[in-house]
Amino acid sequence: MQNLATEYLSTTDAAILAGVSARHLVKLIVEGKIHAQKVGRNWLVSRESAEAFSRHPTMGRPKSPIKQG
């Protein structure tokens, strides 16, 4: 059995790992783009999900508009 502390991170630690602000991370959680569990009033973020987001940072970010000229 794996240790819960190694599987899940606080939103602050997960945000650092993912390279986004904690506020943006919570938005991504609510949108279902990062896996997390709500425990009381806090979120526990899957380490695997935060690491995947850091490898693919455009996963939850909007595309820049294409300028037509």
Side-chain angles (χ1 to χ4, degrees):
M1 187 166 132
Q2 293 182 356
N3 184 351
L4 182 64
T6 60
E7 289 186 47
Y8 289 93
L9 305 169
S10 69
T11 52
T12 303
D13 292 338
I16 292 168
L17 181 62
V20 297
S21 70
R23 177 177 266 178
H24 185 66
L25 182 87
V26 171
K27 181 180 177 201
L28 294 170
I29 292 168
V30 171
E31 292 173 354
K33 295 178 180 173
I34 291 186
H35 180 263
Q37 299 267 332
K38 185 91 173 193
V39 178
R41 64 184 182 119
N42 299 314
W43 287 102
L44 292 179
V45 182
S46 160
R47 176 182 291 275
E48 182 179 332
S49 184
E51 288 174 347
F53 188 85
S54 70
R55 286 191 301 272
H56 304 286
T58 58
M59 181 173 80
R61 297 180 183 159
K63 293 181 180 178
S64 62
I66 299 173
K67 295 181 181 179
Q68 296 181 358

